[in-house]
Amino acid sequence: MKGLAVAAIAGGVGLGIVGVGYMVRSRPKAEERRVEMGASPVVPAAGVVPTHPGVQDNRATYCQLLTAYRSDLKKQEDLLANAEAQMRRIEREAESLCRIYAANPVFQYHCNGFPICHWSHWYTVSGQETDSAAYSLCTSYVRLGGELAPREHELRPGDNWDDTWDDLRRMNANIAQALRQIQALRQQYVQMQKEADEARSQIARLRKQIADLEAQGVFC
């Protein structure tokens, strides 16, 4: 009997030690699980692949990143607005120059009176009018590029036309100067287009990155 009692006691003590050992070994796992549950980790939404390399996976860092993205987005939107405003300015300036480029002379006929007009008559330049086809080509060139050919009005020969020559020379000089200015405006327009396109690309990228963060539940 004493042997059985001692064995029972020894068995009970052994089970108790095993039980305590099991509890000791299992406690860190339980505590670790409770910490994980209370940490509020950022969990990516299904199908969302974050594009933020080098950023620690915690909410504070993501909030800082989101703030930076929004600041950069505002800068790029301002750059786009400025580039587009400059493009509109160039277009308005080109309209005035294109009217000079597309100018045609308006001639006026003079005579000393009937019936001797065919013996004493001449022409003068009384004004100018806009060649609509040349004007359209000019404004399209500024916006779309291509080539814009020089324009020059012929000095008509003969004494009847000599009063027009100085006017035509001035008109041709104005047309040539306008063409040079228009070509310079075209170069400015190309540069503004590049800046606008780059800003649009950056805006699209930043909006995608902001959307990635918001899809992960980052709203700061």
Side-chain angles (χ1 to χ4, degrees):
M1 292 293 291
K2 289 182 180 180
L4 291 175
V6 170
I9 292 172
V13 171
L15 289 174
I17 293 173
V18 171
V20 171
Y22 175 79
M23 292 176 63
V24 170
R25 287 194 301 271
S26 63
R27 184 175 300 147
K29 293 183 180 180
E31 289 176 353
E32 181 181 347
R33 183 178 181 183
R34 285 196 296 272
V35 170
E36 290 176 351
M37 292 177 64
S40 300
V42 177
V43 179
V48 176
V49 179
T51 55
H52 320 285
V55 179
Q56 296 179 0
D57 189 11
N58 62 73
R59 186 170 297 275
T61 305
Y62 275 4
C63 280
Q64 292 174 357
L65 186 62
L66 183 59
T67 300
Y69 284 163
R70 287 171 175 166
S71 176
D72 289 344
L73 177 61
K74 178 63 169 60
K75 291 177 183 177
Q76 292 299 325
E77 288 173 340
D78 289 343
L79 288 174
L80 175 59
N82 178 71
E84 290 179 337
Q86 291 300 317
M87 290 165 68
R88 303 292 86 78
R89 176 192 62 79
I90 292 170
E91 289 173 356
R92 290 192 299 270
E93 189 172 345
E95 287 175 0
S96 299
L97 291 170
C98 284
R99 292 194 184 282
I100 298 174
Y101 167 82
N104 284 341
V106 175
F107 297 105
Q108 184 174 357
Y109 177 75
H110 303 269
C111 77
N112 279 333
F114 184 81
I116 58 172
C117 280
H118 63 287
W119 292 326
S120 179
H121 61 98
W122 67 98
Y123 292 88
T124 60
V125 176
S126 61
Q128 63 183 42
E129 60 186 4
T130 301
D131 185 313
S132 59
Y135 177 80
S136 178
L137 286 172
C138 180
T139 54
S140 296
Y141 165 78
V142 173
R143 292 181 291 104
L144 304 175
E147 294 186 5
L148 191 62
R151 298 183 76 239
E152 186 175 279
H153 296 294
E154 178 185 2
L155 302 183
R156 302 188 182 192
D159 295 343
N160 295 336
W161 293 94
D162 60 3
D163 287 335
T164 69
W165 294 346
D166 288 343
D167 291 327
L168 290 178
R169 289 189 182 100
R170 282 191 293 270
M171 184 175 292
N172 287 337
N174 291 336
I175 290 172
Q177 182 179 6
L179 176 59
R180 290 190 294 270
Q181 292 175 295
I182 290 164
Q183 290 169 336
L185 286 180
R186 170 59 189 165
Q187 296 304 312
Q188 295 178 31
Y189 198 85
V190 169
Q191 180 60 36
M192 291 301 103
Q193 281 182 316
K194 289 181 179 178
E195 293 184 12
D197 290 343
E198 175 62 22
R200 291 190 188 97
S201 176
Q202 293 298 323
I203 287 170
R205 177 183 63 81
L206 289 164
R207 286 178 176 170
K208 173 63 168 59
Q209 290 173 316
I210 290 171
D212 285 342
L213 289 176
E214 290 178 347
Q216 297 175 67
V218 182
F219 296 96
C220 306

